[in-house]
Each structure stands twice: as structure tokens, then as C-alpha cells.
Amino acid sequence: MSHLKKIFTFYTLVASIAGIAQQQNPILNGFWIQEGYGRILAIKDSTYAYYNLDNMTCKVLVDGNLAGRFTVVSAKENLLVLNPGGIVNYNFKRAASLPDICSTPAEKNTSFEKNFQTFWDTFNDNYAFFKERNINWQQVYSEYFPRVKKLKTEPEFALLLREVVGKINDGHIRLEIPDSLIPKMNQITSKPTKPKYEIISDLQKTYVEKIKSYNNGVIQWGLLKNSKTGYIVLTDMNNFADYIPEAEQDSKDFRKKYEAVSETKTPLQMFADELQGVDNVMKIIIDDFKNTESVVIDLRFNGGGYETVALKFLSYFITNQKNILSVKAKTKYGFSESQNYTLISAKNSYRKKVYLLTSHNTASAAEIFALGSLSYPNIVRIGSPTAGIFSELLWKELPNGWEFSLSNEVYFDSKSKSYEGIGIPVNYDMNYHKDRSAFLNDFYSNDNFVDKALEKVYSLEK
């Protein structure tokens, strides 16, 4: 990492300009080892290959046109800083060549011992929260490796890995197990009485009027009945690009049409389109709320998406520029240097009281919105603490081909406090259940819909 902390501001990604600069800068050519993340970048003129590296394999994660994937922040002889379209810059140090393992075609290795070793080593090098999750990782190895040696079948190995993941209890750890193995794993899933879209529909029927929607309901807004309070519900922090005509935004195949357009874009252009979509819809919402005295932002049903989208939305509900958070990444040798993030208020932001509703289901990028809100006293949080999973998902692959993710980034508030595992606290606690089904079912009492958080908003507005 650079020895200077990076101060980031919200900016528009202009891939075409970056492309010209990159193609004219031969210093970019060569091989670059990323600090943390277990990855290596190979650049040749305008193209790149991005490798995932572990103790046994080195595979291309993604490749293509460099200008469409990264913005060059700075380039020196031995230090390259790139931005992938998020709020965290990636730092790379030059290498003389790719490791030999990257030049050898990887063969699938089904040895349970070698796959477990790769799994354990990757977490040992890059997982950031053993202390916060009260996990002794060396003890996990001592307990599970002897069991691994006795395994006979893949379903048994899959169950064992899931058991280890369950101990960590981190919602950003994912295991992509082949479908053929899942029925043999006796998975138990619980289903809510009603899905979240029905909960939101009943909420609006009970409490909201003059409802409007954008992009198949990813954001909906209106006015709380018998009040001067606006209401916004955000169900995701993605899918905001203006790709689909308004007349088709509520069609059953919206997602299919949206993804078809999105897949034609480079990653940087797609991220830029998402932010432009936020600007477009917020211009309408701010105008609709010009006569309100307060606004509710409901993130209780939001499981995340893009942190840049979350912070773009937050910029419309603040009044002044502040350093709101910092991020550092776990590396094999410790942690990278922290990078600070400064949020700038949108030009025509909402400048009155804001009520932010959260639950234990408010996760990831939605939590980063909540994290940023801690710096602004005009934002009052109601509900329950958030899920406590902030990091981007760092995806890796086992030698047998199974993919998994982990949390390698630590987010702090402006006072250098981390909320990993405990979530962002609220000012008024509604004591929501942590279990998702129980949380959703709790909105109903004797067949009547009651929203404790919105009732609290009404009482505070009296």
C-alpha cells in the first residue's frame, strides 16, 4: 500500500479517458502482485488477466480490456494503484514474472486433505475477523483435519466445510457446492409466512399513499398517511441503471431484460450507469418531497449490493462533507494501510430530518449506508442493529473446483470503530427477531398489519 492515506471523493468513472491514458503508459505492462486478496495481475498494453492464487493453483479470475475493468489511480515503476469501481483502491507491487504455478494448466484435485488445506490456508491469510467471531483458527485445523483424513465421499466433505463455516457465523462466507450434493446434505430451510415483497405491499397499503416505483420496485416512495413525512424503501443497492423503458419496469421479465443490457457493458460503465440511475430517480424524489418536513428511509429488507450506490443515496440526505469511514484489508502479513473515504453532499440534497429504519436483515452495502449515517446527527436510526457484515466478498476456488467467499476488508466509522459482528446500533430499538422468518411474521398481529418502527416515527413527529 502507499504510505499515504487515500482520500476518496465520489466521482464519475470515465472509462474512455482512462483507456487512452492506460494505452499511452507502457509502465503498466508486466506482472503485478496485489497487496492482500491473493491475486496477481498481468498487463499487456490495453489487455489484462487477473489471477486468483492459492497454495496449489493459479487460475484466471477474469480478463479483457483494462480500461473497462480498472481506473488507473497512479502508476509508478514498482507501485500500481487501480480502482475497480468501488470505494477501495487496489495496490499492486511489480513482479518479475508470474509464479510458475500460473503457467501450469491446473488439474482438478479431489483430495479432501489438499482441498481442506487450501480452504484453511486461504482463510488464515485473508479472513479478517477471527477475533470478532471468537474463532481460534488453529484449533479449527487441529479439530477438523484428522476428521478430513477419514472422509470417504464428497457429500461428507461438503457437510464438514459447512460445519466449519457455521462456526464462523459470517453471512459473507459462501460455499458454492454442486447441486448434485445438496439433497444429500439434509439441509433445513425455513420459509416466512409471506415473502418480503408482500410485507412491503401490506406496509404501503397500511401506512403509505401516493406510491411510486422505479425499476421493478428496487426503490419505492410515497408519503406517510396523515403526515408531512416522506417514505422510501430500498430493497437492494443495485439495479438502478436506466436500462428499461418506464412502461416495462414492472414486467415479470424485468430482471432478464435488465441483465441482458447490463451484460453488454464493461464493469466500469455498468457501475457508472448505476450511479447515474440513482441521480435520475433521486431528482424526482427530492422534488416529490419538497413539501415534507421529514423522510423515512427503510433499509430493513435490504441485503446489500454496491457500496457506491449506497453512499450515492446517502449523499442526498446529508448537508456537509465529512470523512465518514475507513477501510483496510487483511493480508498474509497483517493488514494494509487504512484508506479514508470522504462523502460529499449531493447538489440538491434533502436537508431536513431523516429516519433510517434498519433490522438484522440490513446487510453489506446497506450497512455501509447505516455506517455513514453515524456521522450525521440529523439521521435518527430506528429498528434493530444491522447484520454486521460489511466487507466485499473475496471469492476463491478450491482445487476441486468448488468456489467460496470470505470477508477480508474491515470497515470503520469516522472514530475508527468497527461494527463487524455487532452491526450498526439504533437510537430506538424495536427488538426485532434475528431470525428472518420471525422478523417478517412479527409485522402481523391477529391478522392486522402493524409496523412498530413507523408507529415510532409518528410518535416522534407529534
Side-chain angles (χ1 to χ4, degrees), residues 1 11 20 31 62 65 127 200 242 245 283 312 419 422 438:
M1 291 289 291
Y11 57 87
I20 294 172
F31 306 102
V62 65
N65 183 275
Y127 186 69
I200 294 171
D242 188 16
K283 181 179 180 180
K312 187 68 165 175
Y419 296 87
I422 59 175

Side-chain angles (χ1 to χ4, degrees), residues 119-138 140 164 167-168 170 173 330 335 406-407 410 420:
F119 182 83
W120 191 90
D121 286 344
T122 303
F123 271 81
N124 193 56
D125 291 346
N126 294 116
Y127 186 69
F129 303 111
F130 289 127
K131 180 179 179 180
E132 289 78 1
R133 302 284 176 177
N134 195 29
I135 298 295
N136 183 325
W137 196 232
Q138 186 60 54
V140 167
V164 173
K167 283 180 176 288
I168 303 175
D170 181 337
I173 300 177
K330 174 68 171 62
F335 285 90
L406 53 85
S407 302
V410 187
E420 184 73 21

Side-chain angles (χ1 to χ4, degrees), residues 338-452:
S338 293
Q339 302 182 40
N340 292 338
Y341 182 87
T342 298
L343 185 64
I344 299 175
S345 174
K347 185 176 181 181
N348 297 308
S349 65
Y350 188 87
R351 296 177 177 268
K352 301 172 185 177
K353 182 177 287 187
V354 178
Y355 298 102
L356 177 61
L357 309 188
T358 64
S359 73
H360 300 295
N361 295 286
T362 305
S364 197
E367 292 189 87
I368 292 174
F369 184 112
L371 178 66
S373 78
L374 294 172
S375 297
Y376 296 94
N378 68 304
I379 301 178
V380 178
R381 293 175 305 283
I382 302 173
S384 282
T386 59
I389 48 173
F390 298 85
S391 173
E392 285 288 306
L393 277 69
L394 178 63
W395 281 99
K396 294 292 182 178
E397 183 176 330
L398 294 178
N400 67 0
W402 297 359
E403 295 183 342
F404 65 100
S405 66
L406 53 85
S407 302
N408 72 313
E409 295 171 341
V410 187
Y411 280 73
F412 301 93
D413 68 9
S414 60
K415 298 179 181 179
S416 299
K417 178 178 174 61
S418 169
Y419 296 87
E420 184 73 21
I422 59 175
I424 303 300
V426 291
N427 302 105
Y428 298 95
D429 199 331
M430 300 294 105
N431 297 306
Y432 289 140
H433 293 282
K434 287 189 175 182
D435 177 77
R436 180 178 176 80
S437 297
F439 162 66
L440 295 176
N441 291 335
D442 197 42
F443 283 93
Y444 298 90
S445 177
N446 298 321
D447 294 326
N448 294 318
F449 187 94
V450 179
D451 190 328
K452 296 182 292 185

Side-chain angles (χ1 to χ4, degrees), residues 45-99:
D45 299 327
S46 62
T47 64
Y48 77 99
Y50 199 24
Y51 294 82
N52 240 339
L53 180 67
D54 58 47
N55 62 357
M56 288 190 63
T57 60
C58 177
K59 294 184 178 180
V60 174
L61 177 69
V62 65
D63 57 13
N65 183 275
L66 185 66
R69 186 64 186 87
F70 294 103
T71 296
V72 177
V73 178
S74 66
K76 299 179 181 179
E77 182 61 37
N78 293 307
L79 179 63
L80 177 62
V81 183
L82 303 177
N83 186 282
I87 67 172
V88 178
N89 284 348
Y90 292 169
N91 285 26
F92 299 81
K93 293 183 178 179
R94 188 181 291 279
S97 62
L98 286 174

